[in-house]
Amino acid sequence: MNLHEIQTGLAKGKFTLKTIVRNYLNTIEKNKDLNVFITLFNKGTIDRAEEIDSKTKTGKAGKLAGCIVSVKDVIAVKDKPLTCGSKILSNFISLYNATAIERLTEEDAIIIGKVNCDEFAMGSSNEHSYFGATKNPVDKERVPGGSSGASAVSVATDMCNISLGSETGGSVRQPASFCGVTGLKVTYGRISRYGLVAFASSFDSIGIFAKSNYDIAKVLEVIAGYDEKDSTSVLNPVDNYSELLNNKFKSGEIIFGYPKEYFTEGINEDILKGIQHKIELVKKAGFEVKEISLPHSEYVIQTYYILTSAEASSNLERYDGIRYGYRAGNEDSNLNDMYINTRSEGFGDEVKRRIMLGTYVLSAGYYDEYYKKAQKARRLIVKDFENAFKEVDYIITPTTPNTAFKIGEKIDNPLSMYLNDIFTASANLAGVPAISIPAGFDRNGLPFGIQIIGKKFNEAGLLRICDFL
Ligand code: GLN
């Protein structure tokens, strides 16, 4: 059932929200072995459902009554643990709500719990979590993707109908692809980052997972928009996304491009065939599809990892054992030892790797050679998109070069893990919106997605495309 069907059923009294929530909680209980939730809001959730059921009876329920949302544990929910999948914040309780959470709950969405993720959202497999790996429901020996892997799993297995994740380089789209659900990354600044724990501030955005584009549209229209608490949130008006879904594209109205650099060797054959098949469908629907070029694509991964690690090394400075969470040693430890031991014990290997890489590229001797050069490369990547969008309205690519890999397969090979972001990180470098839509299954029955990248603030277009892809 999509949200519209749920809301109609609730209004007609066919079922109650309490029953729906109970069903989700049962599903969560049955699938505990997937290791999806870090904190489950059991009791509170049922009480909230009862309250909203009474509001429904008097026609007073909010726009999102019927939305049951799991939240990646990098987004703040007041009075609940906010661990970021890290030991260093394993005992930290949030003092306030993220703006997105505030807006969701005001409209009667129910937050069902906080879900697992790679530590501080750094990873592509969910294996870098202090709370253990989350498993892919299609094949439990495989990863669900990351870093918002558990968000994707929670939606794919009907533990909820919406999940909020976060994106710095593909962390919503890649797990959406690996788990067979839809995942939207919005234009940079479209959703407030207030209450989203910072990884790389000039890249980060909140993203939305669901099975239906209608549900994503409904949630987006509530959580998007300017927020005085986030100076990078933008003033542009928020579209009425769910109504815009009724506007069907007329044949010939839009042009699609596929970047030749994204269709090279190394992509799983079944994914390639699946995407080519989708391109044929787009043509049959009456739209032009042409080859385009994003000439600086080969620099995306290097640029992304240099810049995000630099920003991360600065953002993660604040975890010093004084202000937040875990503290090593005892009252007799000297201050310096306390700092060092807290960070050595509190952070996992991947986070340490990024901090080291980040401080290195920012250090006096290497700043020009790496950080500054990467900033210039970012500008060229942005320009590639600006040029491409003069010719076409939407860009089609595979979301990932492969389907879900085995747990443990890439954990000791960071470079091969990083290469999973090869098709997704460019949209974050350029700040443009992009969506991953389920596109089929490989020969082993593992799902994969197709990615559509749009012009800034054209989230509506991306959601409308889901209808014919
Ligand atoms: N996999 C990417 C990384 O590890 C993306 C992470 C993200 O989008 N949060 O940096």
Side-chain angles (χ1 to χ4, degrees):
M1 279 193 293
N2 71 13
L3 188 58
H4 180 67
E5 290 152 350
I6 294 182
Q7 290 186 334
T8 315
L10 289 174
K12 290 191 176 150
K14 278 196 188 155
F15 42 77
T16 62
L17 196 52
K18 191 170 161 185
T19 336
I20 295 182
V21 169
R22 279 236 168 92
N23 284 341
Y24 285 140
L25 289 171
N26 284 339
T27 310
I28 293 168
E29 180 60 34
K30 270 191 236 142
N31 290 291
K32 268 196 155 157
D33 61 325
L34 297 175
N35 195 23
V36 173
F37 281 81
I38 293 179
T39 313
L40 188 60
F41 307 163
N42 254 325
K43 173 83 175 76
T45 311
I46 294 190
D47 295 346
R48 254 323 259 151
E50 279 177 350
E51 273 168 45
I52 297 167
D53 276 331
S54 340
K55 279 171 127 184
T56 303
K57 282 194 195 120
T58 54
K60 291 208 177 97
K63 270 174 85 169
L64 294 183
C67 257
I68 312 299
V69 189
S70 75
V71 176
K72 182 182 185 180
D73 212 2
V74 291
I75 300 174
V77 177
K78 191 170 189 286
D79 299 330
K80 304 288 183 191
L82 172 58
T83 70
C84 295
S86 181
K87 181 176 177 185
I88 214 158
L89 287 180
S90 52
N91 59 359
F92 180 72
I93 307 288
S94 176
L95 299 173
Y96 59 83
N97 273 330
T99 298
I101 300 295
E102 197 70 33
R103 292 183 181 175
L104 283 178
T105 43
E106 264 167 27
E107 288 297 342
D108 286 338
I110 295 179
I111 313 296
I112 196 161
K114 306 292 291 290
V115 290
N116 205 0
C117 56
D118 286 297
E119 187 176 3
F120 287 99
M122 297 173 190
S124 308
S125 69
N126 236 267
E127 292 164 285
H128 297 300
S129 166
Y130 175 62
F131 300 91
T134 296
K135 296 175 182 144
N136 190 311
V138 182
D139 175 348
K140 292 182 188 167
E141 287 184 5
R142 292 179 188 268
V143 304
S147 60
S148 321
S151 284
V153 177
S154 67
V155 169
T157 55
D158 295 320
M159 297 177 174
C160 54
N161 47 27
I162 291 284
S163 187
L164 290 191
S166 72
E167 269 263 0
T168 305
S171 276
V172 167
R173 288 162 286 155
Q174 185 252 22
S177 175
F178 278 14
C179 295
V181 297
T182 302
L184 174 72
K185 170 233 175 287
V186 294
T187 310
Y188 182 75
R190 178 70 300 184
I191 300 176
S192 168
R193 288 186 294 118
Y194 181 75
L196 165 65
V197 175
F199 162 7
S201 316
S202 77
F203 292 73
D204 296 343
S205 71
I206 286 180
I208 309 169
F209 292 89
K211 283 189 173 168
S212 117
N213 57 342
Y214 177 82
D215 293 12
I216 295 184
K218 280 301 239 191
V219 168
L220 184 60
E221 73 206 20
V222 169
I223 67 176
Y226 177 70
D227 174 19
E228 60 177 18
K229 295 187 184 123
D230 171 11
S231 59
T232 59
S233 70
V234 292
L235 286 161
N236 298 37
V238 175
D239 288 327
N240 202 331
Y241 302 103
S242 58
E243 268 184 29
L244 286 171
L245 291 182
N246 299 321
N247 275 358
K248 304 293 170 208
F249 286 116
K250 293 183 220 48
S251 87
E253 191 184 337
I254 46 176
I255 304 177
F256 290 83
Y258 61 91
K260 60 172 191 250
E261 294 82 1
Y262 283 52
F263 289 82
T264 49
E265 283 156 38
I267 305 181
N268 169 316
E269 243 178 75
D270 299 338
I271 296 187
L272 205 53
K273 269 196 212 135
I275 304 296
Q276 274 155 355
H277 174 67
K278 289 286 180 187
I279 291 180
E280 287 314 310
L281 290 182
V282 173
K283 286 184 184 160
K284 274 200 192 125
F287 304 110
E288 188 185 339
V289 186
K290 60 181 190 186
E291 185 180 281
I292 55 162
S293 173
L294 296 169
H296 297 94
S297 299
E298 62 176 305
Y299 304 111
V300 163
I301 290 294
Q302 301 88 312
T303 309
Y304 169 82
Y305 277 94
I306 290 174
L307 294 178
T308 55
S309 303
E311 292 189 27
S313 70
S314 155
N315 275 327
L316 271 61
E317 217 170 43
R318 71 190 75 173
Y319 306 105
D320 55 5
I322 304 275
R323 285 172 288 180
Y324 305 93
Y326 178 74
R327 175 182 300 173
N330 54 41
E331 303 205 330
D332 300 329
S333 318
N334 78 39
L335 184 63
N336 220 27
D337 288 348
M338 191 282 292
Y339 284 149
I340 292 172
N341 293 335
T342 295
R343 289 170 68 85
S344 304
E345 291 166 25
F347 288 134
D349 288 349
E350 184 58 27
V351 171
K352 286 181 190 156
R353 189 177 292 127
R354 309 254 182 148
I355 294 175
M356 284 194 280
L357 182 64
T359 45
Y360 179 78
V361 300
L362 286 174
S363 60
Y366 295 100
Y367 181 88
D368 285 342
E369 205 171 326
Y370 292 106
Y371 183 72
K372 210 161 161 199
K373 209 181 236 173
Q375 289 284 34
K376 289 181 181 166
R378 182 178 198 177
R379 184 66 215 141
L380 293 173
I381 292 161
V382 170
K383 202 89 205 124
D384 279 357
F385 278 100
E386 286 169 2
N387 290 338
F389 284 131
K390 283 183 196 148
E391 271 186 78
V392 301
D393 304 292
Y394 297 96
I395 297 172
I396 301 185
T397 81
T399 307
T400 52
N402 47 264
T403 49
F405 45 90
K406 289 252 167 81
I407 293 177
E409 192 180 320
K410 295 186 195 284
I411 196 85
D412 297 322
N413 185 348
L415 192 59
S416 114
M417 189 77 94
Y418 296 170
L419 284 170
N420 246 270
D421 309 323
I422 193 145
F423 300 145
T424 47
S426 55
N428 304 71
L429 281 158
V432 293
I435 195 165
S436 178
I437 309 167
F441 298 89
D442 72 1
R443 64 196 64 182
N444 301 317
L446 298 167
F448 61 85
I450 183 169
Q451 170 173 241
I452 311 291
I453 308 174
K455 295 178 185 168
K456 281 192 177 166
F457 301 105
N458 190 13
E459 281 78 9
L462 299 180
L463 292 167
R464 286 163 70 197
I465 287 171
C466 295
D467 276 344
F468 64 84
L469 264 183

PDB file of all heavy atoms in Angstrom, residues 50-79:
ATOM      1  N   GLU A  50      -2.078   5.513  18.445  1.00  0.00           N
ATOM      2  CA  GLU A  50      -3.421   5.672  19.049  1.00  0.00           C
ATOM      3  C   GLU A  50      -3.880   7.118  18.985  1.00  0.00           C
ATOM      4  O   GLU A  50      -5.015   7.412  18.636  1.00  0.00           O
ATOM      5  CB  GLU A  50      -3.404   5.187  20.504  1.00  0.00           C
ATOM      6  CG  GLU A  50      -3.526   3.669  20.593  1.00  0.00           C
ATOM      7  CD  GLU A  50      -3.443   3.157  22.032  1.00  0.00           C
ATOM      8  OE1 GLU A  50      -3.103   3.956  22.929  1.00  0.00           O
ATOM      9  OE2 GLU A  50      -3.704   1.967  22.229  1.00  0.00           O
ATOM     10  N   GLU A  51      -2.956   8.017  19.316  1.00  0.00           N
ATOM     11  CA  GLU A  51      -3.297   9.456  19.270  1.00  0.00           C
ATOM     12  C   GLU A  51      -3.730   9.860  17.864  1.00  0.00           C
ATOM     13  O   GLU A  51      -4.719  10.564  17.672  1.00  0.00           O
ATOM     14  CB  GLU A  51      -2.062  10.305  19.604  1.00  0.00           C
ATOM     15  CG  GLU A  51      -1.808  10.576  21.060  1.00  0.00           C
ATOM     16  CD  GLU A  51      -0.406  11.177  21.234  1.00  0.00           C
ATOM     17  OE1 GLU A  51      -0.021  12.090  20.454  1.00  0.00           O
ATOM     18  OE2 GLU A  51       0.300  10.695  22.130  1.00  0.00           O
ATOM     19  N   ILE A  52      -2.967   9.385  16.885  1.00  0.00           N
ATOM     20  CA  ILE A  52      -3.264   9.790  15.499  1.00  0.00           C
ATOM     21  C   ILE A  52      -4.570   9.128  15.032  1.00  0.00           C
ATOM     22  O   ILE A  52      -5.348   9.735  14.291  1.00  0.00           O
ATOM     23  CB  ILE A  52      -2.067   9.483  14.573  1.00  0.00           C
ATOM     24  CG1 ILE A  52      -0.870  10.323  15.025  1.00  0.00           C
ATOM     25  CG2 ILE A  52      -2.382   9.767  13.112  1.00  0.00           C
ATOM     26  CD1 ILE A  52       0.458   9.933  14.430  1.00  0.00           C
ATOM     27  N   ASP A  53      -4.841   7.908  15.503  1.00  0.00           N
ATOM     28  CA  ASP A  53      -6.129   7.280  15.171  1.00  0.00           C
ATOM     29  C   ASP A  53      -7.293   8.144  15.661  1.00  0.00           C
ATOM     30  O   ASP A  53      -8.278   8.320  14.939  1.00  0.00           O
ATOM     31  CB  ASP A  53      -6.215   5.870  15.789  1.00  0.00           C
ATOM     32  CG  ASP A  53      -5.541   4.816  14.908  1.00  0.00           C
ATOM     33  OD1 ASP A  53      -5.516   5.007  13.670  1.00  0.00           O
ATOM     34  OD2 ASP A  53      -5.027   3.814  15.452  1.00  0.00           O
ATOM     35  N   SER A  54      -7.156   8.713  16.860  1.00  0.00           N
ATOM     36  CA  SER A  54      -8.260   9.570  17.334  1.00  0.00           C
ATOM     37  C   SER A  54      -8.368  10.835  16.498  1.00  0.00           C
ATOM     38  O   SER A  54      -9.464  11.297  16.194  1.00  0.00           O
ATOM     39  CB  SER A  54      -8.129   9.986  18.795  1.00  0.00           C
ATOM     40  OG  SER A  54      -7.293   9.178  19.481  1.00  0.00           O
ATOM     41  N   LYS A  55      -7.221  11.385  16.108  1.00  0.00           N
ATOM     42  CA  LYS A  55      -7.255  12.588  15.268  1.00  0.00           C
ATOM     43  C   LYS A  55      -7.915  12.280  13.915  1.00  0.00           C
ATOM     44  O   LYS A  55      -8.641  13.101  13.367  1.00  0.00           O
ATOM     45  CB  LYS A  55      -5.836  13.099  14.998  1.00  0.00           C
ATOM     46  CG  LYS A  55      -5.230  13.928  16.116  1.00  0.00           C
ATOM     47  CD  LYS A  55      -3.767  14.165  15.811  1.00  0.00           C
ATOM     48  CE  LYS A  55      -3.328  15.589  15.840  1.00  0.00           C
ATOM     49  NZ  LYS A  55      -1.936  15.786  15.446  1.00  0.00           N
ATOM     50  N   THR A  56      -7.644  11.094  13.381  1.00  0.00           N
ATOM     51  CA  THR A  56      -8.220  10.716  12.080  1.00  0.00           C
ATOM     52  C   THR A  56      -9.742  10.712  12.167  1.00  0.00           C
ATOM     53  O   THR A  56     -10.427  11.159  11.252  1.00  0.00           O
ATOM     54  CB  THR A  56      -7.706   9.316  11.654  1.00  0.00           C
ATOM     55  OG1 THR A  56      -6.289   9.361  11.629  1.00  0.00           O
ATOM     56  CG2 THR A  56      -8.218   8.904  10.282  1.00  0.00           C
ATOM     57  N   LYS A  57     -10.245  10.213  13.289  1.00  0.00           N
ATOM     58  CA  LYS A  57     -11.707  10.136  13.466  1.00  0.00           C
ATOM     59  C   LYS A  57     -12.356  11.511  13.384  1.00  0.00           C
ATOM     60  O   LYS A  57     -13.477  11.654  12.910  1.00  0.00           O
ATOM     61  CB  LYS A  57     -12.034   9.489  14.819  1.00  0.00           C
ATOM     62  CG  LYS A  57     -11.870   7.984  14.773  1.00  0.00           C
ATOM     63  CD  LYS A  57     -12.505   7.305  15.982  1.00  0.00           C
ATOM     64  CE  LYS A  57     -12.001   5.880  16.069  1.00  0.00           C
ATOM     65  NZ  LYS A  57     -11.296   5.609  17.337  1.00  0.00           N
ATOM     66  N   THR A  58     -11.633  12.527  13.852  1.00  0.00           N
ATOM     67  CA  THR A  58     -12.226  13.872  13.820  1.00  0.00           C
ATOM     68  C   THR A  58     -11.720  14.678  12.624  1.00  0.00           C
ATOM     69  O   THR A  58     -11.905  15.899  12.566  1.00  0.00           O
ATOM     70  CB  THR A  58     -11.898  14.626  15.131  1.00  0.00           C
ATOM     71  OG1 THR A  58     -10.478  14.583  15.301  1.00  0.00           O
ATOM     72  CG2 THR A  58     -12.577  14.019  16.325  1.00  0.00           C
ATOM     73  N   GLY A  59     -11.072  13.993  11.700  1.00  0.00           N
ATOM     74  CA  GLY A  59     -10.582  14.662  10.483  1.00  0.00           C
ATOM     75  C   GLY A  59      -9.441  15.642  10.754  1.00  0.00           C
ATOM     76  O   GLY A  59      -9.189  16.544   9.969  1.00  0.00           O
ATOM     77  N   LYS A  60      -8.726  15.446  11.873  1.00  0.00           N
ATOM     78  CA  LYS A  60      -7.696  16.424  12.233  1.00  0.00           C
ATOM     79  C   LYS A  60      -6.265  15.909  12.027  1.00  0.00           C
ATOM     80  O   LYS A  60      -5.298  16.579  12.407  1.00  0.00           O
ATOM     81  CB  LYS A  60      -7.877  16.841  13.705  1.00  0.00           C
ATOM     82  CG  LYS A  60      -9.129  17.661  13.936  1.00  0.00           C
ATOM     83  CD  LYS A  60      -8.943  18.597  15.131  1.00  0.00           C
ATOM     84  CE  LYS A  60     -10.136  19.482  15.337  1.00  0.00           C
ATOM     85  NZ  LYS A  60     -11.081  18.995  16.359  1.00  0.00           N
ATOM     86  N   ALA A  61      -6.151  14.720  11.441  1.00  0.00           N
ATOM     87  CA  ALA A  61      -4.805  14.147  11.300  1.00  0.00           C
ATOM     88  C   ALA A  61      -3.984  14.938  10.290  1.00  0.00           C
ATOM     89  O   ALA A  61      -4.520  15.507   9.341  1.00  0.00           O
ATOM     90  CB  ALA A  61      -4.918  12.690  10.879  1.00  0.00           C
ATOM     91  N   GLY A  62      -2.664  14.963  10.510  1.00  0.00           N
ATOM     92  CA  GLY A  62      -1.760  15.707   9.626  1.00  0.00           C
ATOM     93  C   GLY A  62      -1.584  15.027   8.273  1.00  0.00           C
ATOM     94  O   GLY A  62      -2.035  13.902   8.059  1.00  0.00           O
ATOM     95  N   LYS A  63      -0.875  15.762   7.394  1.00  0.00           N
ATOM     96  CA  LYS A  63      -0.672  15.297   6.012  1.00  0.00           C
ATOM     97  C   LYS A  63       0.071  13.968   5.907  1.00  0.00           C
ATOM     98  O   LYS A  63      -0.016  13.281   4.902  1.00  0.00           O
ATOM     99  CB  LYS A  63       0.213  16.329   5.292  1.00  0.00           C
ATOM    100  CG  LYS A  63      -0.544  17.421   4.598  1.00  0.00           C
ATOM    101  CD  LYS A  63       0.428  18.455   4.065  1.00  0.00           C
ATOM    102  CE  LYS A  63       0.980  18.083   2.695  1.00  0.00           C
ATOM    103  NZ  LYS A  63       1.721  19.211   2.087  1.00  0.00           N
ATOM    104  N   LEU A  64       0.858  13.649   6.936  1.00  0.00           N
ATOM    105  CA  LEU A  64       1.655  12.422   6.837  1.00  0.00           C
ATOM    106  C   LEU A  64       1.184  11.337   7.804  1.00  0.00           C
ATOM    107  O   LEU A  64       1.936  10.408   8.116  1.00  0.00           O
ATOM    108  CB  LEU A  64       3.137  12.735   7.081  1.00  0.00           C
ATOM    109  CG  LEU A  64       3.814  13.624   6.031  1.00  0.00           C
ATOM    110  CD1 LEU A  64       5.295  13.806   6.353  1.00  0.00           C
ATOM    111  CD2 LEU A  64       3.671  13.042   4.619  1.00  0.00           C
ATOM    112  N   ALA A  65      -0.066  11.430   8.250  1.00  0.00           N
ATOM    113  CA  ALA A  65      -0.597  10.356   9.095  1.00  0.00           C
ATOM    114  C   ALA A  65      -0.574   9.082   8.248  1.00  0.00           C
ATOM    115  O   ALA A  65      -1.059   9.086   7.121  1.00  0.00           O
ATOM    116  CB  ALA A  65      -2.019  10.691   9.519  1.00  0.00           C
ATOM    117  N   GLY A  66       0.031   8.028   8.780  1.00  0.00           N
ATOM    118  CA  GLY A  66       0.175   6.804   7.988  1.00  0.00           C
ATOM    119  C   GLY A  66       1.606   6.575   7.541  1.00  0.00           C
ATOM    120  O   GLY A  66       1.951   5.497   7.068  1.00  0.00           O
ATOM    121  N   CYS A  67       2.448   7.588   7.709  1.00  0.00           N
ATOM    122  CA  CYS A  67       3.874   7.439   7.375  1.00  0.00           C
ATOM    123  C   CYS A  67       4.599   6.885   8.589  1.00  0.00           C
ATOM    124  O   CYS A  67       4.599   7.515   9.650  1.00  0.00           O
ATOM    125  CB  CYS A  67       4.489   8.809   7.108  1.00  0.00           C
ATOM    126  SG  CYS A  67       4.722   9.140   5.412  1.00  0.00           S
ATOM    127  N   ILE A  68       5.203   5.745   8.429  1.00  0.00           N
ATOM    128  CA  ILE A  68       5.993   5.165   9.518  1.00  0.00           C
ATOM    129  C   ILE A  68       7.444   5.190   9.038  1.00  0.00           C
ATOM    130  O   ILE A  68       7.784   4.571   8.033  1.00  0.00           O
ATOM    131  CB  ILE A  68       5.543   3.718   9.827  1.00  0.00           C
ATOM    132  CG1 ILE A  68       4.009   3.630   9.952  1.00  0.00           C
ATOM    133  CG2 ILE A  68       6.244   3.185  11.069  1.00  0.00           C
ATOM    134  CD1 ILE A  68       3.405   4.455  11.057  1.00  0.00           C
ATOM    135  N   VAL A  69       8.260   5.916   9.802  1.00  0.00           N
ATOM    136  CA  VAL A  69       9.588   6.273   9.289  1.00  0.00           C
ATOM    137  C   VAL A  69      10.716   5.701  10.146  1.00  0.00           C
ATOM    138  O   VAL A  69      10.726   5.874  11.367  1.00  0.00           O
ATOM    139  CB  VAL A  69       9.743   7.825   9.301  1.00  0.00           C
ATOM    140  CG1 VAL A  69      11.009   8.253   8.592  1.00  0.00           C
ATOM    141  CG2 VAL A  69       8.523   8.507   8.682  1.00  0.00           C
ATOM    142  N   SER A  70      11.658   5.031   9.499  1.00  0.00           N
ATOM    143  CA  SER A  70      12.893   4.681  10.211  1.00  0.00           C
ATOM    144  C   SER A  70      13.928   5.751   9.878  1.00  0.00           C
ATOM    145  O   SER A  70      13.896   6.331   8.792  1.00  0.00           O
ATOM    146  CB  SER A  70      13.399   3.300   9.796  1.00  0.00           C
ATOM    147  OG  SER A  70      13.998   3.350   8.518  1.00  0.00           O
ATOM    148  N   VAL A  71      14.825   6.027  10.808  1.00  0.00           N
ATOM    149  CA  VAL A  71      15.756   7.144  10.636  1.00  0.00           C
ATOM    150  C   VAL A  71      17.193   6.663  10.813  1.00  0.00           C
ATOM    151  O   VAL A  71      17.524   6.038  11.831  1.00  0.00           O
ATOM    152  CB  VAL A  71      15.434   8.261  11.665  1.00  0.00           C
ATOM    153  CG1 VAL A  71      16.440   9.398  11.576  1.00  0.00           C
ATOM    154  CG2 VAL A  71      14.014   8.791  11.453  1.00  0.00           C
ATOM    155  N   LYS A  72      18.009   6.953   9.809  1.00  0.00           N
ATOM    156  CA  LYS A  72      19.435   6.604   9.897  1.00  0.00           C
ATOM    157  C   LYS A  72      20.021   7.263  11.137  1.00  0.00           C
ATOM    158  O   LYS A  72      19.729   8.438  11.411  1.00  0.00           O
ATOM    159  CB  LYS A  72      20.137   7.108   8.637  1.00  0.00           C
ATOM    160  CG  LYS A  72      21.605   6.784   8.539  1.00  0.00           C
ATOM    161  CD  LYS A  72      22.186   7.378   7.254  1.00  0.00           C
ATOM    162  CE  LYS A  72      23.617   6.993   7.022  1.00  0.00           C
ATOM    163  NZ  LYS A  72      24.153   7.573   5.766  1.00  0.00           N
ATOM    164  N   ASP A  73      20.866   6.544  11.856  1.00  0.00           N
ATOM    165  CA  ASP A  73      21.320   7.045  13.150  1.00  0.00           C
ATOM    166  C   ASP A  73      22.407   8.122  13.056  1.00  0.00           C
ATOM    167  O   ASP A  73      23.301   8.199  13.890  1.00  0.00           O
ATOM    168  CB  ASP A  73      21.761   5.888  14.049  1.00  0.00           C
ATOM    169  CG  ASP A  73      21.486   6.197  15.521  1.00  0.00           C
ATOM    170  OD1 ASP A  73      20.925   7.270  15.795  1.00  0.00           O
ATOM    171  OD2 ASP A  73      21.857   5.388  16.389  1.00  0.00           O
ATOM    172  N   VAL A  74      22.289   8.962  12.029  1.00  0.00           N
ATOM    173  CA  VAL A  74      23.115  10.177  11.961  1.00  0.00           C
ATOM    174  C   VAL A  74      22.218  11.413  11.996  1.00  0.00           C
ATOM    175  O   VAL A  74      22.674  12.526  11.806  1.00  0.00           O
ATOM    176  CB  VAL A  74      23.979  10.230  10.675  1.00  0.00           C
ATOM    177  CG1 VAL A  74      25.070   9.166  10.689  1.00  0.00           C
ATOM    178  CG2 VAL A  74      23.112  10.082   9.427  1.00  0.00           C
ATOM    179  N   ILE A  75      20.907  11.161  12.184  1.00  0.00           N
ATOM    180  CA  ILE A  75      19.941  12.267  12.192  1.00  0.00           C
ATOM    181  C   ILE A  75      19.335  12.341  13.601  1.00  0.00           C
ATOM    182  O   ILE A  75      18.915  11.320  14.154  1.00  0.00           O
ATOM    183  CB  ILE A  75      18.845  12.041  11.127  1.00  0.00           C
ATOM    184  CG1 ILE A  75      19.491  11.951   9.728  1.00  0.00           C
ATOM    185  CG2 ILE A  75      17.783  13.142  11.177  1.00  0.00           C
ATOM    186  CD1 ILE A  75      18.544  11.594   8.607  1.00  0.00           C
ATOM    187  N   ALA A  76      19.301  13.557  14.145  1.00  0.00           N
ATOM    188  CA  ALA A  76      18.937  13.728  15.547  1.00  0.00           C
ATOM    189  C   ALA A  76      17.434  13.609  15.801  1.00  0.00           C
ATOM    190  O   ALA A  76      16.626  14.268  15.145  1.00  0.00           O
ATOM    191  CB  ALA A  76      19.414  15.099  16.026  1.00  0.00           C
ATOM    192  N   VAL A  77      17.083  12.751  16.757  1.00  0.00           N
ATOM    193  CA  VAL A  77      15.712  12.673  17.258  1.00  0.00           C
ATOM    194  C   VAL A  77      15.796  12.962  18.758  1.00  0.00           C
ATOM    195  O   VAL A  77      16.540  12.291  19.486  1.00  0.00           O
ATOM    196  CB  VAL A  77      15.087  11.281  17.005  1.00  0.00           C
ATOM    197  CG1 VAL A  77      13.685  11.205  17.615  1.00  0.00           C
ATOM    198  CG2 VAL A  77      15.038  10.956  15.521  1.00  0.00           C
ATOM    199  N   LYS A  78      15.053  13.965  19.190  1.00  0.00           N
ATOM    200  CA  LYS A  78      15.152  14.460  20.570  1.00  0.00           C
ATOM    201  C   LYS A  78      14.996  13.341  21.615  1.00  0.00           C
ATOM    202  O   LYS A  78      14.107  12.486  21.470  1.00  0.00           O
ATOM    203  CB  LYS A  78      14.064  15.514  20.784  1.00  0.00           C
ATOM    204  CG  LYS A  78      14.207  16.305  22.056  1.00  0.00           C
ATOM    205  CD  LYS A  78      13.224  17.470  22.030  1.00  0.00           C
ATOM    206  CE  LYS A  78      13.424  18.435  23.133  1.00  0.00           C
ATOM    207  NZ  LYS A  78      13.031  18.091  24.415  1.00  0.00           N
ATOM    208  N   ASP A  79      15.857  13.367  22.596  1.00  0.00           N
ATOM    209  CA  ASP A  79      15.835  12.441  23.737  1.00  0.00           C
ATOM    210  C   ASP A  79      16.113  10.994  23.369  1.00  0.00           C
ATOM    211  O   ASP A  79      15.828  10.080  24.158  1.00  0.00           O
ATOM    212  CB  ASP A  79      14.489  12.516  24.489  1.00  0.00           C
ATOM    213  CG  ASP A  79      14.229  13.894  25.046  1.00  0.00           C
ATOM    214  OD1 ASP A  79      15.224  14.577  25.367  1.00  0.00           O
ATOM    215  OD2 ASP A  79      13.048  14.290  25.144  1.00  0.00           O
TER     216      ASP A  79
END
